[in-house]
Every structure is written in structure tokens, then in C-alpha cells.
Amino acid sequence: MSGGLHIAVLGAGSVGCFIGGAWQAAGVKVTFVGRQKLARELDNHGLTLTDYSGWRAELKPGDLDFRCGPEALDEADVIALCVKSGDTAQAAREIAGHAREGTTVVSFQNGVTNIDVLEQGLGGHFEIARGMVPYNVAAIGEGHFHKGVAGELWSERREGTQELAERVQAGPASLKLSNSMLELAWGKLLINLNNAVNALSGRTLVEELRQRDYRRVLAASMREGLDLLKRVDIRPATVGPIAPNVLPRVVNSPDWLFNSVFLKQWKIDAKARSSMADDLAAGRKTEIDYLNGELVRLAERLQRDAPVNRKIVDLVREAEAGAQPIAPAALRRAVLGA
């Protein structure tokens, strides 16, 4: 690997722009690969990054290398893959067609099965690493992206990710390394089961989590997931302040306890929404198949059912087709019954 580490962010949307922008602000060379619409926006306004703590970074239009085609991948030492999970196979074809063999590819995507798709598509010619983004990023407009939830990036320990972690150091750009990323990925997925509940609520994360009926649905989906993972001997790692086996009880605690104690620990920005809520608002297909849908498929492989998560998947499909937000008690009844 060359001394001048070069990163390409493939799928530079909200998360990709925040990650890549934070790395560039930390002194790493970054090329963004994304859509023409965002290229025009950044060309007009530059890139502004903020987070819940008050951190801010600004990159001027002339300082940004934003491309709209995969040809730029041949310059990268590390590719940060941030495309939607449903686009993983296409991204693998673009990487195989343009990137140098041996390049490190880090999947910063939702779900746990993207690595399998990358392994199939890249045929052992690239160094593939599982990554994790434990926070959401909101597109504010005019090139401004805001990280609304606490958390740090994670990646499997590889030569390329080791060098990147050493280069970016601490702060919003920091990258933690692990040799147990599958367990971390499942731990994150359990937390991300709230993406669907939040999207169905039509509310901000804080507004949604303050309502116990929404949290009852979330807790039930988590318990179902934990039971399935136990059957395949997977112990999801702790992502955030609360261990996975305790999380459903915490989420299902009374409002006075949850809102006054636990919610404060999660450091959620008052305006933050889930990425799935953003997808519904924009009329895009969600990643429900790679969140709750992962548990439904795991249950099917075990010849079991996952009725809570299956119902949530169905409701999100209805929301994609235009169904309106669901009130707390109505969602509890729809998913859990009377």
C-alpha cells in the first residue's frame, strides 16, 4: 500500500458523505462516488458536517473530489462501501471492474449478509472487511449532513483498516477495529430494529421512543431476535451502553424510568430520525429486508416463524405503498394483538 492513503466512498449519500468528509477533515485523501444530484449540491455549497455534540467541519467545493462513476475506484487503497444493501451486488460488479486487486473493501451497510454477496461477487481478489455504522446521519440540505446519535465507526482488523484507523485518530472520524465483527453486526441489527418502528411512527426518534407502546413493539422484536440467535449459537455484542440480553427489558420499562434515565444515555439529537424514516419520506424503497427481514429469513432457515418481525416487515411494505403513520396503541395492537 502506498504511503499516501487514498479512500474511495462508494455510495456517497448521507452516511457516506459524513464518513468520508470526517476522514478528509482529519487529513486523509478521499474520493466520493455518488449521484449527480448530490454532486451538483456539493459543487454549489461544499460539504458541512455537524454532530449532536456541537462538532463542525466545513469543506469547500474546490476541496472535494466527487465523481459520478466507478472509474475513480482504481485510485483507491480502501473502498468504504455505503450503498443501500439491495445495491450490493451491483456495487461488487463495479468494484471488480474498476478497482485494483487486493484493495480493501469495507461494508458500512445495514444487515449481516452483505459480506456474503461481496464474497460471491469479488471472488477472493479483494480484501473484504465487515464494518458497522452505529449512528444515523440526516441530510439537512445545501451540503449539510448531521450526525444525530452518539457512536463510533467499527471495522474488521485488516491491513488497510489498520492504517486508516491510525491516520484518523480520535474524534468524529475515528475508526475502531475488531476481530469479532459478526457479533457486533448482530448487536447493531438488534438496535436497528427500531428503524422500522420509528419509520412507522412518523415521528422523530426521541418522540417515538418516549411512547411505551412503540417501545413494546421494539422490545418484542428484539426478544424474538435474541431467541433466534441463541438457537444458532450467536452471542450479539454490546453496541452502546446496554447489553443485548438486557435491552428488551430496558426498552419495555415504564415511561417514567425509560424517559428519565435510559433515554438520556443514548444521546439522541432531538431532530434525529431513522434512515428508514428518511427513505419513506423520500419515496424510496427501504432496507427492511436487511433488518427485520434478516430475522424472518433466519427463522425460516430454522424452520420456525418470527411473527413479530414478519408483521413489521408487512407494515413497512404497506408504508412504502403509501400507508400513513401509525399511532402508538394502534401499532402495538397491529403487531402484538390485544
Side-chain angles (χ1 to χ4, degrees), residues 48-298:
T48 300
L49 309 174
T50 55
D51 75 0
Y52 66 95
S53 71
W55 174 82
R56 185 181 184 93
E58 296 184 11
L59 300 173
K60 297 179 180 179
D63 296 331
L64 296 171
D65 181 13
F66 197 104
R67 318 279 185 92
C68 296
E71 296 79 13
L73 298 178
D74 67 356
E75 304 170 12
D77 301 304
V78 177
I79 297 172
L81 185 60
C82 298
V83 302
K84 292 291 186 180
S85 295
D87 296 328
T88 305
Q90 174 61 32
R93 289 191 288 271
E94 293 176 349
I95 293 169
H98 296 281
R100 302 192 305 268
E101 287 195 12
T103 298
T104 301
V105 180
V106 188
S107 169
F108 288 114
Q109 301 168 277
N110 282 327
V112 295
T113 55
N114 296 300
I115 292 296
D116 300 330
V117 177
L118 290 173
E119 292 284 2
Q120 293 170 7
L122 297 179
H125 298 290
F126 295 82
E127 188 175 56
I128 299 171
R130 192 184 299 273
M132 184 186 72
V133 185
Y135 51 78
N136 78 308
V137 177
I140 307 299
E142 297 186 347
H144 181 185
F145 296 92
H146 179 73
K147 173 187 171 184
V149 179
E152 296 177 290
L153 288 175
W154 283 84
S155 171
E156 280 184 290
R157 192 181 303 275
R158 298 284 190 269
E159 179 185 353
T161 58
Q162 181 75 48
E163 182 175 352
L164 177 58
E166 292 170 355
R167 288 285 300 275
V168 298
Q169 298 293 319
S174 66
L175 178 66
K176 291 190 172 185
L177 304 178
S178 172
N179 295 320
S180 303
M181 281 303 302
L182 179 61
E183 291 80 2
L184 276 168
W186 277 112
K188 183 206 173 189
L189 187 142
L190 289 173
I191 292 175
N192 276 359
L193 294 176
N194 189 53
N195 280 19
V197 178
N198 178 249
L200 292 169
S201 77
R203 308 183 185 203
T204 67
L205 282 167
V206 170
E207 290 170 344
E208 171 244 322
L209 287 169
R210 287 188 181 280
Q211 299 293 323
R212 193 178 185 190
D213 277 334
Y214 286 139
R215 298 200 311 276
R216 284 182 170 128
V217 173
L218 174 59
S221 68
M222 289 176 168
R223 284 194 297 268
E224 193 172 78
L226 286 166
D227 178 66
L228 291 167
L229 292 174
K230 185 177 181 180
R231 293 176 183 277
V232 292
D233 200 26
I234 293 177
R235 291 187 175 184
T238 300
V239 178
I242 302 169
N245 61 319
V246 179
L247 197 53
R249 294 200 298 275
V250 168
V251 167
N252 198 33
S253 61
D255 283 338
W256 66 267
L257 178 59
F258 183 86
N259 293 335
S260 62
V261 178
F262 299 120
L263 188 55
K264 292 181 179 180
Q265 296 182 26
W266 289 345
K267 299 179 181 178
I268 302 174
D269 189 284
K271 297 180 180 179
R273 297 176 185 268
S274 70
S275 58
M276 193 176 296
D278 290 339
D279 286 339
L280 285 182
R284 297 188 294 260
K285 185 178 180 180
T286 71
E287 293 186 293
I288 190 65
D289 287 338
Y290 302 92
L291 296 173
N292 305 72
E294 294 274 18
L295 293 172
V296 174
R297 289 192 296 277
L298 176 57

